[in-house]
Amino acid sequence: MSEMDEILTQIEDLRKKLNMLIKEKHILLDPKVITASQILDSVLNEYNEIAKKSDK
């Protein structure tokens, strides 16, 4: 599995976790929801950096 495939799988897993937390907490400002969102953002940024490098 390539690095890009691994990150895409991680992104999908994190999205599912975030959606579950939102449904469970019903509050977008819950600390667990915010933390999950920040982790997803970080991985998405990593994905974008890899995508930029592969375009060169």
Side-chain angles (χ1 to χ4, degrees):
M1 183 179 278
S2 73
E3 184 178 16
M4 195 69 104
D5 290 335
E6 288 177 23
I7 290 180
L8 288 172
T9 299
Q10 187 177 7
I11 288 169
E12 185 59 32
D13 291 343
L14 289 168
R15 281 186 176 147
K16 287 177 185 177
K17 179 181 178 182
L18 178 59
N19 285 329
M20 282 180 15
L21 281 170
I22 291 169
K23 288 178 185 178
E24 179 184 307
K25 301 294 182 180
H26 303 287
I27 300 172
L28 293 177
L29 296 178
D30 183 272
K32 289 184 180 181
V33 173
I34 292 170
T35 299
S37 178
Q38 290 171 333
I39 292 168
L40 177 56
D41 286 346
S42 176
V43 175
L44 287 168
N45 289 335
E46 183 179 346
Y47 171 84
N48 286 329
E49 287 299 316
I50 292 170
K52 283 181 191 177
K53 289 178 186 175
S54 69
D55 285 344
K56 291 182 179 181

